[in-house]
Amino acid sequence: MNSEINDGGPAFPTIMPGFAKEGMSLRAYIATQAMHAIMTNCVEESARRILEKMCVENETLPSKQIAKMAAEQADALINELNKPVTQTKP
């Protein structure tokens, strides 16, 4: 079984003659976007209470819980994007 995480490849590759830079992974980019959304939504009282409850249940700090949630969102999106596309009838 392969335990390596599929990071989706480079999000912003740069290729020029004599220079190649992969940039951040797609997984990291999606995770940063998800993390931003999660943190922004935590200003609402109900979202903050849910996050605090999750932290108590998982014995983690809010920052670690947010990072975990963001990585899970990135992994879910990459997995979904890797599924074959099926044509639907109009």
Side-chain angles (χ1 to χ4, degrees):
M1 182 168 81
N2 186 355
S3 63
E4 205 171 295
I5 294 174
N6 177 1
D7 68 2
F12 305 105
T14 303
I15 301 171
M16 297 185 301
F19 177 81
K21 183 175 182 177
E22 289 189 5
M24 76 179 353
S25 71
L26 180 60
R27 181 176 190 261
Y29 177 73
I30 295 168
T32 61
Q33 298 301 308
M35 182 179 274
H36 178 265
I38 293 165
M39 292 175 73
T40 300
N41 288 330
C42 282
V43 297
E44 295 179 27
E45 187 61 31
S46 60
R48 189 176 313 121
R49 277 183 275 153
I50 291 169
L51 178 62
E52 288 171 358
K53 182 179 180 213
M54 291 172 74
C55 291
V56 170
E57 289 172 356
N58 297 314
E59 298 178 357
T60 60
L61 298 172
S63 58
K64 289 188 179 194
Q65 189 64 41
I66 290 170
K68 179 181 178 202
M69 292 165 59
E72 289 171 350
Q73 290 294 315
D75 291 343
L77 180 56
I78 289 171
N79 287 336
E80 193 62 32
L81 292 173
N82 285 326
K83 289 183 180 178
V85 177
T86 57
Q87 297 291 331
T88 57
K89 294 183 181 179

